[in-house]
Amino acid sequence: MTVTTTVRNPHTPTGARILDTASALFYERGIRAVGVDLIANEAGTTKKTLYDRFGSKDELVAAYLSRRAARWAAYLTDYLDRHATEPGPQRVLAVIDALEEWLKGQDRGCAFVNAYAEIGGTDHPGNAVIRQDKQDMRALFVRLVEEAGIPDPEVVGAQVHLLYEGAIVVRTAGGIDEAYDEARAAMTRLLSR
């Protein structure tokens, strides 16, 4: 028996243009507000080409989220390597500094929280990407807390992660400009116990 599968290669110049366009539109306007007609038109291509490269809008959304997660991870790693090279509380706190710099000029906050508000509770392939991002950030905080030599890193890292996530939502959805500073102060107290 022969199984036929469709192999899609979104990593062509046209695929990259579609993903760039969709990423900007999804972040700025929301997933449900953006249709494939708009994406294809803005990318200067056709719906057929979009489907040839990504298979479906849902898969394009998952690709957008995957790429954003990879870019954030690379940005954060580089930021920590440049600004907080030694293990310790300052390296943990530097994640908030990186976040603040990353989100400068982006008034919609966390792309993953925004996407989850639209696709959560469904079988959308983007949900796995969202959950992985949140798990990765939690694991990062646990690791950084452990490397800092702070007792009970699983608990403290999880608590620091909650402050980080909350700061993003409170800063954007809550409109509280001091959210990052407040999170830093709370993290500092947790890390100095």
Side-chain angles (χ1 to χ4, degrees), residues 89-156:
Q90 287 308 113
R91 189 162 167 87
V92 179
L93 296 171
V95 176
I96 286 284
D97 300 335
L99 171 71
E100 189 169 15
E101 189 175 290
W102 169 265
L103 288 177
K104 234 176 230 166
Q106 299 182 54
D107 62 353
R108 299 229 335 118
C110 179
F112 304 102
V113 170
N114 297 341
Y116 191 78
E118 295 192 65
I119 64 174
T122 70
D123 62 352
H124 194 288
N127 281 315
V129 180
I130 294 166
R131 291 206 190 282
Q132 188 63 55
D133 173 74
K134 299 307 175 192
Q135 290 168 7
D136 290 347
M137 287 307 299
R138 188 179 195 102
L140 171 70
F141 279 114
V142 169
R143 180 174 57 80
L144 292 176
V145 168
E146 183 174 35
E147 289 172 356
I150 295 166
D152 211 359
E154 288 288 331
V155 171
V156 175

Side-chain angles (χ1 to χ4, degrees), residues 13-28:
T14 301
R17 193 171 65 248
I18 291 167
L19 185 55
D20 289 344
T21 301
S23 295
L25 290 169
F26 291 149
Y27 183 76
E28 292 165 10

Side-chain angles (χ1 to χ4, degrees), residues 96 100 107 167-184:
I96 286 284
E100 189 169 15
D107 62 353
I168 298 170
V169 174
V170 169
R171 171 66 183 87
T172 54
I176 297 175
D177 292 337
E178 302 81 24
Y180 298 139
D181 294 332
E182 291 169 355
R184 267 189 214 91

Side-chain angles (χ1 to χ4, degrees), residues 2-74:
T2 304
V3 177
T4 305
T5 60
T6 303
V7 177
R8 294 183 181 90
N9 181 10
H11 304 293
T12 63
T14 301
R17 193 171 65 248
I18 291 167
L19 185 55
D20 289 344
T21 301
S23 295
L25 290 169
F26 291 149
Y27 183 76
E28 292 165 10
R29 300 184 188 182
I31 293 167
R32 299 221 188 279
V34 174
V36 293
D37 288 320
L38 177 62
I39 296 166
N41 185 52
E42 292 285 317
T45 189
T46 64
K47 284 188 341 184
K48 180 186 180 322
T49 301
L50 184 150
Y51 288 124
D52 286 347
R53 297 300 183 277
F54 295 95
S56 68
K57 179 183 172 185
D58 287 353
E59 291 298 329
L60 179 56
V61 169
Y64 147 65
L65 293 169
S66 293
R67 184 172 76 167
R68 188 157 177 113
R71 286 182 171 177
W72 164 242

